[in-house]
Amino acid sequence: MALIRPKDTKPEMLVRKMIFGEGFRYRLHQKSLPGCPDIVFKRLHKVIFVHGCFWHRHPRCKLARLPKSKLNFWEPKLSGNRKRDLRNARRLVGAGWRVLTIWECENFEDRQLEAFLTARPKRCSN
Ligand SMILES: [Zn+2]
């Protein structure tokens, strides 16, 4: 039986492989930042969250459907996760980080990741 480790979800491994191919330096699960982002590019000041659709309540996603039983347990729990995610993202953005969220159901492509990592913050030019 496979041991399920939430920190090594399949989409996350995929993203990590892509990033590795691009040669970017990163750290994983930085606990000192709000929400403990999955992948952190400290020098670029960018973070990536890889979210499971169910646990993080991906809006309008069929993987995020609530279970039929114990609804009064799941609903507040999962809604709480979602609210916490949004709050953490706001805190990160407020501190000058750029945040990318990748959902487990998404067909995420290398070039989207590259666009996020290579985009420069707007600067005032002289
Ligand atoms: Zn989804």
Side-chain angles (χ1 to χ4, degrees):
M1 198 160 61
L3 190 68
I4 296 166
R5 288 183 305 163
K7 296 227 153 163
D8 272 350
T9 54
K10 214 192 267 170
E12 186 182 324
M13 295 301 276
L14 211 72
V15 170
R16 273 155 65 177
K17 209 184 267 177
M18 270 188 216
I19 295 164
F20 185 74
E22 300 292 340
F24 287 103
R25 298 284 307 234
Y26 63 91
R27 283 155 167 268
L28 299 175
H29 310 298
Q30 193 91 357
K31 289 199 178 67
S32 56
L33 290 173
C36 184
D38 296 299
I39 305 169
V40 177
F41 301 87
K42 211 170 178 184
R43 204 169 46 83
L44 298 172
H45 236 60
K46 292 175 185 182
V47 302
I48 296 177
F49 287 99
V50 183
H51 281 346
C53 298
F54 177 75
W55 291 104
H56 295 269
R57 297 221 69 186
H58 189 192
R60 292 177 299 277
C61 174
K62 63 174 193 262
L63 297 178
R65 255 186 227 141
L66 287 168
K68 291 205 170 75
S69 61
K70 292 190 188 162
L71 197 62
N72 52 6
F73 165 75
W74 286 112
E75 210 287 316
K77 182 178 173 59
L78 297 176
S79 295
N81 285 351
R82 173 90 184 127
K83 274 184 205 141
R84 201 175 53 228
D85 289 342
L86 295 173
R87 198 166 57 231
N88 286 331
R90 269 200 305 272
R91 281 169 64 196
L92 284 163
V93 170
W97 292 84
R98 301 195 67 183
V99 178
L100 177 70
T101 300
I102 297 175
W103 294 94
E104 120 185 63
C105 66
E106 277 179 326
N107 252 333
F108 205 78
E109 292 174 28
D110 297 39
R111 60 190 164 85
Q112 288 171 271
L113 194 63
E114 208 182 327
F116 172 73
L117 292 175
T118 55
R120 289 176 185 279
K122 277 184 189 153
R123 284 203 190 125
C124 301
S125 51
N126 299 329

